[in-house]
Amino acid sequence: MRMVDLIEKKRDGLALSKEEIEWFISGYTNGEIPDYQISAIAMAIFFQDMTAEERADLTMAMVHSGETIDLSSIDGIKVDKHSTGGVGDKTTIALAPLVAALGVPVAKMSGRGLGHTGGTLDKLEAIPGFSIELDNNAFTAQVNKHKVAVVGQTSNLAPADKLLYSLRDVTATVNSIPLIASSVMSKKIASGADAIVLDVKVGSGAFMKDVEQAKELAEAMVEIGNKLGRRTMAIISDMNQPLGQSVGNALEVKEAIEVLKGKGPKDLHELCLTLGSYMVYLAQKAPSIQEARVQLQEVIDNGQALETLKAFIEAQGGDPRVVDEPEQMLGAKYQIEVASSKSGYVHAIEAHLIGNAAMKLGAGRETKEDQIDLSVGVVLQKKIGDHVNEGEALVTLHCSKEQVDEVKNLILRAYQLNADPVQEQTLIYETIEK
Ligand code: URA
């Protein structure tokens, strides 16, 4: 086979065969096919798209480029959840113990944060003692015993995706539905999921800016998953404002704990129940999605979800006292309110600006090498639909320094106020299943 022939074929809008896709992905991973030819085929895919068959073949070729995690020694149907990334998205920390409390095994590999969205691993490390490193045996044993474990992704998971993603980043080919969908699904399948629930975020703080685009991506991923024998469902959820109230590592852990106490913010609570009910249903622990939702609310109300969280934290070396005494986590030195310069109703909160504000305080990384401060962040006092008076606090900054003018400016830019009342923001736009 010659790479130039495959580029030409895709350039002319023809479908590549499974063998051709496997050949170029393995050649690229082994360093035999140069970046410039892969860039050309990525651009051809960007313009010519891929058939459902090609998307599934590309996904599996990337899965086979590296290690695949074998979860077969864990009892039950392993359902993974994936979010395309948002500001204040601490869902996994509440959701994992919540569904585990109903016996759904959650064997989760998570990542660190970069840019304005945070990573689950960083958040969990705000719990004193919590370790995200477990060897394979300890990982499966913990899931069998407590039904939940969260670890860092092994570096050899879908290495072809890592290479291709970095190349796409510098060749303007990130924003392509077949390439994003196969990238996300290759990592989920390589990490051993039997079934997958996807949370595709849409809005100013997300990768996908409009619902149509998000729906196309969600449908593409659901189709790949189902074609490859993994029952897959997706929701499209809002990221036109941060999720919940807190953005910042320890602050987000506190908020996730509140959800399991039945006291979390309404949007976060609702998202956990929605995603959770799909997970419980796909794991065949409830006969219907409605029944799954009832059972999830029960384990919140009777404290079982909170007990599962404590057991999960303890099993990974963390201090379970944080559940009852969140002050056991490091708090920031200063709390500074940012007051509104006018009165009105909150119409929009640019989530990426809030994410950037938290990052400037030290809660996130601008580059992979940056150290983060787990105690700092932003707590929103007002969300879309709320009324605010001039001089009233929009947010509270939790910070390690008093000089935060740049951050205050970002917050004021993020909030859009208007004299007319506005309805609350829709949280879940659509559900996609086959
Ligand atoms: N996230 C991924 O994992 N892959 C993409 O291609 C884009 C976003």
Side-chain angles (χ1 to χ4, degrees):
M1 251 181 256
R2 292 192 321 154
M3 192 59 206
V4 64
D5 298 330
L6 304 196
I7 298 169
E8 192 176 301
K9 195 170 171 186
K10 188 37 75 184
R11 182 202 66 193
D12 295 343
L14 301 174
L16 300 172
S17 71
K18 184 172 180 209
E19 291 67 36
E20 287 167 335
I21 291 173
E22 277 172 359
W23 179 81
F24 88 74
I25 288 295
S26 98
Y28 185 44
T29 316
N30 301 336
E32 288 156 10
I33 298 175
D35 278 355
Y36 55 82
Q37 288 189 306
I38 300 297
S39 308
I41 204 151
M43 191 56 89
I45 293 169
F46 182 96
F47 282 112
Q48 295 290 3
D49 206 343
M50 283 183 129
T51 64
E53 206 68 46
E54 286 178 288
R55 293 172 182 193
D57 291 339
L58 176 59
T59 304
M60 283 318 284
M62 295 201 289
V63 169
H64 292 140
S65 69
E67 194 182 337
T68 51
I69 310 294
D70 179 7
L71 300 179
S72 59
S73 58
I74 297 173
D75 312 323
I77 300 171
K78 276 70 71 183
V79 189
D80 203 353
K81 186 272 302 185
H82 177 81
S83 155
T84 58
V87 178
D89 189 358
K90 68 283 289 174
T91 310
T92 296
I93 299 166
L95 187 59
L98 176 60
V99 299
L102 287 177
V104 177
V106 183
K108 186 138 189 66
M109 298 205 158
S110 276
R112 297 202 177 274
L114 184 63
H116 68 270
T117 61
T120 299
L121 296 185
D122 300 314
K123 293 170 197 177
L124 285 169
E125 282 178 346
I127 300 170
F130 196 99
S131 166
I132 51 96
E133 277 161 38
L134 293 177
D135 66 31
N136 283 351
N137 290 340
F139 181 59
T140 51
Q142 184 179 317
V143 182
N144 275 328
K145 185 163 179 207
H146 298 291
K147 298 291 171 203
V148 49
V150 180
V151 292
Q153 233 167 47
T154 66
S155 58
N156 197 27
L157 209 66
D161 171 62
K162 244 179 235 130
L163 289 169
L164 189 57
Y165 198 4
S166 323
L167 194 65
R168 286 164 55 210
D169 218 13
V170 291
T171 55
T173 50
V174 168
N175 218 348
S176 148
I177 299 282
L179 294 177
I180 302 172
S182 54
S183 163
V184 170
M185 294 305 283
S186 68
K187 286 171 283 204
K188 293 290 106 181
I189 291 173
S191 47
D194 298 321
I196 301 157
V197 175
L198 300 158
D199 181 7
V200 178
K201 302 283 188 197
V202 63
S204 62
F207 213 53
M208 297 283 137
K209 303 294 176 204
D210 65 68
V211 176
E212 276 318 299
Q213 222 187 0
K215 194 172 163 195
E216 209 188 319
L217 175 62
E219 284 173 349
M221 294 194 289
V222 168
E223 184 163 32
I224 291 174
N226 286 307
K227 227 174 165 37
L228 296 173
R230 274 74 171 179
R231 288 184 73 192
T232 304
M233 296 177 75
I235 63 162
I236 306 208
S237 78
D238 184 68
M239 195 31 72
N240 278 307
Q241 61 181 341
L243 183 63
Q245 284 181 272
S246 300
V247 182
N249 300 284
L251 295 167
E252 293 191 42
V253 173
K254 278 185 203 165
E255 198 166 80
I257 295 170
E258 289 297 296
V259 170
L260 299 184
K261 291 180 178 168
K263 299 187 217 151
K266 207 165 82 184
D267 54 353
L268 180 61
H269 176 91
E270 176 57 32
L271 192 65
C272 288
L273 283 189
T274 302
L275 292 168
S277 56
Y278 297 151
M279 291 175 79
V280 171
Y281 174 67
L282 290 181
Q284 297 177 10
K285 294 286 181 190
S288 68
I289 290 165
Q290 292 75 6
E291 177 61 23
R293 197 180 164 101
V294 171
Q295 290 182 16
L296 287 169
Q297 189 61 53
E298 264 168 28
V299 290
I300 292 179
D301 295 341
N302 68 19
Q304 278 179 34
L306 213 53
E307 286 309 311
T308 307
L309 173 65
K310 282 185 193 166
F312 158 51
I313 291 175
E314 197 162 15
Q316 292 196 220
D319 184 347
R321 284 179 305 168
V322 297
V323 173
D324 298 317
E325 303 160 35
E327 58 283 2
Q328 296 291 341
M329 277 182 291
L330 205 60
K333 190 164 175 195
Y334 300 103
Q335 292 192 17
I336 299 173
E337 288 190 344
V338 180
S340 180
S341 53
K342 58 180 184 177
S343 300
Y345 290 91
V346 180
H347 277 235
I349 308 173
E350 293 283 347
H352 72 280
L353 292 179
I354 301 288
N356 283 341
M359 188 168 71
K360 295 253 177 267
L361 292 176
R365 295 180 186 83
E366 279 182 69
T367 70
K368 269 192 212 152
E369 290 70 35
D370 281 352
Q371 288 288 326
I372 56 177
D373 182 342
L374 297 168
S375 70
V376 300
V378 178
V379 177
L380 308 185
Q381 306 298 350
K382 300 286 176 186
K383 298 240 338 189
I384 294 179
D386 289 342
H387 185 266
V388 58
N389 290 317
E390 184 184 338
E392 205 182 345
L394 292 170
V395 310
T396 307
L397 304 177
H398 289 241
C399 41
S400 56
K401 54 182 189 264
E402 282 181 292
Q403 280 309 318
V404 285
D405 290 347
E406 189 190 357
V407 173
K408 282 186 179 172
N409 285 335
L410 279 173
I411 301 288
L412 293 174
R413 267 174 54 208
Y415 273 83
Q416 287 168 30
L417 303 183
N418 204 308
D420 311 322
V422 63
Q423 290 206 324
E424 264 182 44
Q425 187 68 34
T426 302
L427 179 66
I428 294 162
Y429 296 99
E430 291 213 34
T431 301
I432 287 131
E433 56 183 310
K434 272 270 155 348

